[in-house]
Amino acid sequence: YLVFYTMIVVCSSYILTIGSSWLNTLGNQSALPWLVLGILDKKTLRGAAVILVFTVHEVLSGYSGLTLSNGLFLSLFAIGIALHRHSPAPLIAWGIGNVCAVGILFPFLYEALNGFAHTTRLHGLSRATMSLYNIPASTFPFSFLAGNWNEPLTIWTGDTYLKTIPYPNTSSLL
């Protein structure tokens, strides 16, 4: 039931509403319950097939940092399920699904990874580059509070102009 409850949350109107601004993470969110279902499947090959399909989905449509994070967490989850069942089947399904997905996607991702390996971004950013457009740390608390609470405070004080401002409103973009 947990897997299907997660699918309900992933496909809820809240996620679909905020998904347009966080579009890259929806691929990761939508793959999670299916990857868990593949790990929990009693048949190893069927579980590996589900993991293969949704790992490909996650890699191609998700955010790479979340894909790695999900992979590490689900690896621990597969270890826990294997220990609970006293069977290596969940780990085998998880391994086969991931190895096959990487094997299928490697020819497509090789050029992208090769191009990234030859950029200056691979070597990181210098302190001077990172602080080029910084703001003083002392202004952060005020700007955070003013940016997040300007609408409620303005409505509370009785400003009717705020209700007629067309989209986009400043605080709705934060």
Side-chain angles (χ1 to χ4, degrees), residues 78-161:
I79 291 170
I81 295 297
L83 291 174
H84 176 72
R85 290 185 183 169
H86 303 290
S87 167
L91 281 174
I92 293 170
W94 180 245
I96 290 172
N98 281 308
V99 168
C100 291
V102 169
I104 290 170
L105 292 176
F106 184 76
F108 303 110
L109 298 177
Y110 176 74
E111 290 300 321
L113 295 173
N114 190 28
F116 180 73
H118 291 90
T119 64
T120 56
R121 289 179 56 194
L122 177 69
H123 304 294
L125 297 171
S126 66
R127 187 178 190 101
T129 306
M130 288 190 294
S131 59
L132 189 60
Y133 300 106
N134 67 348
I135 60 169
S138 60
T139 62
F140 177 75
F142 175 75
S143 64
F144 179 76
L145 291 173
N148 286 330
W149 295 99
N150 70 348
E151 268 184 59
L153 287 175
T154 309
I155 292 172
W156 180 61
T157 58
D159 185 6
T160 58
Y161 175 72

Side-chain angles (χ1 to χ4, degrees), residues 37-98:
L37 188 63
I39 292 170
L40 292 175
D41 202 329
K42 299 283 187 186
K43 296 184 178 178
T44 306
L45 288 179
R46 185 173 54 193
V50 170
I51 291 169
L52 165 69
V53 169
F54 286 97
T55 299
V56 168
H57 163 73
E58 185 178 28
V59 169
L60 292 179
S61 67
Y63 179 64
S64 58
L66 289 176
T67 301
L68 293 174
S69 174
N70 290 348
L72 292 173
F73 172 76
L74 289 173
S75 296
L76 293 174
F77 181 74
I79 291 170
I81 295 297
L83 291 174
H84 176 72
R85 290 185 183 169
H86 303 290
S87 167
L91 281 174
I92 293 170
W94 180 245
I96 290 172
N98 281 308

